[in-house]
């Protein structure tokens, strides 16, 4: 089955195997003539990155590369990227990679034209209006994993290296102008990364579906996103060359990030401080937290997950859905506790405080407080 399409929601998306060949055309469409390709250190050494730079160079767009990006990108990476952007007199960014490269690339394009500190644009109230919107550079997003969905998002998660807190930097114009979703770029992902990123997409859909906020469009997208992960993540995990499974997971990732406009919840509220402090893989941390959070929210979400279970062809309603999540985690090699991710002797008070400050708490269907969040964390440990 060939999966190729052009979509205009939530932004312009060129979807299909081999479409990285259109990278120069995408730059022209976005008005970019001198792009800076931003990716992480690991991807900088890979063939898919060299091939993309070759395509840019052949089209007369140069081959400028910035790859000083940590797994959890921080404000120091952002400042270095902005310096490289300005020094090269660039007029746009190609954000290339998984969540790290995508998030940092978007922030570099955003911050290159700003005069205020990055933390002045945290996703709090209307802080985004502080930005000079006309100075935000265009972004071409090219995901090489199928998880975060940052390619269709209007924000980036950046770690404050001093406080070890993950912050969400937001502006509507951070949404990439063009996205190239080429599943061939994800074929080289290891089973571990395939599982972790795929379950990140699943967590986005689960939490959006659980959120009490009213957004029926996101609700429908979240439901179908869960179905795609259920059907295709095991296939991608078992056979990394299954291009249909890889393509469907790229769709699920974009759908999860589109759906969570409706809200996230306790999974991400906990995962953000845990990842910032202990440097765990984000999607895998989400997966570890998910079973306990489903039970934590049971009284508020059980009824709606009866509907989801029926659509997903899972027997026994909410309990059946929870059993499915447990089995999926087991089959993908996900640890049952944070100890399995190397989080030993954690600072519980610090994690709980970070979780309660995280904006994701606002989308959790059960209000989170110090007492119940501490109890929830103890189950995950």
């Amino acid at each position: 089955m060939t999966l190729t399409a052009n979509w205009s929601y939530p932004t312009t998306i060129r979807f299909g195997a081999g479409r990285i060949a259109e990278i120069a055309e995408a730059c022209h469409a976005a008005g970019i003539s001198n792009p800076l390709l931003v990716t992480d250190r690991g991807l900088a050494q890979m063939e898919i990155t060299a091939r993309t730079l070759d395509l840019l160079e052949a089209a007369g767009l140069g081959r400028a590369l910035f790859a000083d990006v940590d797994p959890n990108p921080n404000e120091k990476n952002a400042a270095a990227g902005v310096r490289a952007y300005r020094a090269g007199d660039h007029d746009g960014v190609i954000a290339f990679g998984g969540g790290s490269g995508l998030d940092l690339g978007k922030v570099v394009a955003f911050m290159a034209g700003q005069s205020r500190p990055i933390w002045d644009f945290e996703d709090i109230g209307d802080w985004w209006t502080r930005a000079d919107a006309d100075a935000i550079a265009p972004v071409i997003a090219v995901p090489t994993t199928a998880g975060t969905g940052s390619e269709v998002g209007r924000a980036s998660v950046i770690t404050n290296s001093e406080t070890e807190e993950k912050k969400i930097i937001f502006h509507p114009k951070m949404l990439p102008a063009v996205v190239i979703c080429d599943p061939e770029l994800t074929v080289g992902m290891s089973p571990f990364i395939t599982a972790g990123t795929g379950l990140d997409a699943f967590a986005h859909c689960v939490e959006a579906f659980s959120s009490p906020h009213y957004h029926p469009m996101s609700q429908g997208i979240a439901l179908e996103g869960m179905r795609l992960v259920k059907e295709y993540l095991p296939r991608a995990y078992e056979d990394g060359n299954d291009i249909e499974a890889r393509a469907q997971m790229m769709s699920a990732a974009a759908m999860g990030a589109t759906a969570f406009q409706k809200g996230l919840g306790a999974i991400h509220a906990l995962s953000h401080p845990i990842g910032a402090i202990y440097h765990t893989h984000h999607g895998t941390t989400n997966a570890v937290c998910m079973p306990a959070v489903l039970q934590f929210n049971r009284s508020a979400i059980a009824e709606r997950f009866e509907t989801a279970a029926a659509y997903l062809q899972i027997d026994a309603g909410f309990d059946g859905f929870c059993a499915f999540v447990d089995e999926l985690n087991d089959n993908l090699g996900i640890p049952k506790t944070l100890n399995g991710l190397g989080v030993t002797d954690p600072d519980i008070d610090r994690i709980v405080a970070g979780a309660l400050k995280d904006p994701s708490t606002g989308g959790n269907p059960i209000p989170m407080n110090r007492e119940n969040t501490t109890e929830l964390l103890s189950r995950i440990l």
Side-chain angles (χ1 to χ4, degrees):
M1 181 180 180
T2 301
L3 299 173
T4 303
N6 294 327
W7 297 324
S8 59
Y9 177 76
T11 188
T12 299
I13 300 174
R14 302 180 182 214
F15 189 100
R19 298 197 71 174
I20 190 60
E22 301 173 27
I23 185 67
E25 185 182 332
C27 286
H28 292 314
I32 300 172
S33 59
N34 183 24
L36 175 65
L37 190 148
V38 177
T39 192
D40 62 62
R41 298 182 186 94
L43 270 170
Q45 310 301 319
M46 294 183 66
E47 188 272 337
I48 57 174
T49 309
R51 178 157 50 96
T52 303
L53 291 169
D54 289 344
L55 289 166
L56 292 170
E57 188 173 37
L61 297 174
R63 57 183 306 122
L65 173 70
F66 176 80
D68 188 14
V69 180
D70 291 319
N72 289 303
N74 57 49
E75 81 285 0
K76 296 177 182 177
N77 300 153
V82 167
R83 287 194 296 271
Y85 183 94
R86 292 172 176 168
D89 196 26
H90 296 290
D91 60 357
V93 167
I94 298 171
F96 190 94
S100 302
L102 294 174
D103 278 5
L104 196 77
K106 288 158 60 179
V107 159
V108 168
F110 172 69
M111 288 299 298
Q114 307 304 319
S115 57
R116 301 179 66 140
I118 188 171
W119 308 127
D120 281 4
F121 307 111
E122 188 178 349
D123 189 16
I124 297 175
D126 63 354
W127 284 17
W128 64 271
T129 61
R130 297 169 169 176
D132 180 352
D134 293 334
I136 300 172
V139 174
I140 308 297
V142 183
T144 63
T145 65
T148 70
S150 184
E151 65 272 12
V152 294
R154 302 167 297 165
S156 290
V157 179
I158 302 296
T159 299
N160 184 321
S161 62
E162 294 183 6
T163 64
E164 295 185 308
E165 294 177 295
K166 287 192 175 185
K167 302 289 188 178
I168 298 175
I169 307 303
F170 169 83
H171 194 282
K173 288 188 70 174
M174 285 176 70
L175 181 69
V178 181
V179 177
I180 295 179
C181 282
D182 183 344
E184 290 182 352
L185 302 181
T186 70
V187 166
M189 277 197 296
S190 69
F192 173 79
I193 298 298
T194 297
T197 54
L199 288 167
D200 190 22
F202 191 65
H204 292 159
C205 293
V206 167
E207 292 217 281
F209 195 78
S210 301
S211 169
H213 302 318
Y214 181 71
H215 198 318
M217 291 177 286
S218 287
Q219 195 76 343
I221 292 169
L223 185 58
E224 175 65 3
M226 284 190 276
R227 187 191 70 81
L228 292 182
V229 174
K230 175 180 178 285
E231 297 297 326
Y232 293 100
L233 179 54
R235 280 177 48 176
Y237 181 78
E238 290 297 328
D239 178 6
N241 294 311
D242 184 337
I243 201 68
E244 181 186 4
R246 291 294 197 188
Q248 296 283 20
M249 284 305 302
M250 289 200 96
S251 292
M255 291 167 75
T258 302
F260 72 59
Q261 292 182 40
K262 182 172 177 280
L264 291 170
I267 294 174
H268 280 77
L270 287 167
S271 181
H272 285 155
I274 291 166
I277 299 167
Y278 302 103
H279 310 294
T280 56
H281 182 265
H282 174 66
T284 309
T285 309
N286 282 343
V288 172
C289 293
M290 192 181 308
V293 171
L294 285 169
Q295 295 302 327
F296 178 78
N297 289 327
R298 170 185 281 270
S299 63
I301 66 174
E303 185 175 348
R304 77 183 63 178
F305 272 89
E306 299 283 335
T307 303
Y311 181 74
L312 298 171
Q313 298 184 324
I314 294 172
D315 294 332
F318 178 71
D319 288 331
F321 182 86
C322 293
F324 160 74
V325 170
D326 290 338
E327 182 180 5
L328 181 63
N329 276 358
D330 288 344
N331 290 340
L332 298 178
I334 302 299
K336 292 188 179 297
T337 67
L338 291 174
N339 296 147
L341 292 181
V343 180
T344 57
D345 193 26
D347 187 335
I348 293 175
D349 289 341
R350 187 179 178 192
I351 295 172
V352 170
L356 295 177
K357 286 174 61 178
D358 194 276
S360 301
T361 59
N364 200 68
I366 297 292
M368 298 171 66
N369 56 48
R370 189 171 193 82
E371 182 179 358
N372 65 13
T373 304
T374 301
E375 181 182 352
L376 171 61
L377 180 59
S378 70
R379 298 181 202 165
I380 299 166
L381 292 170

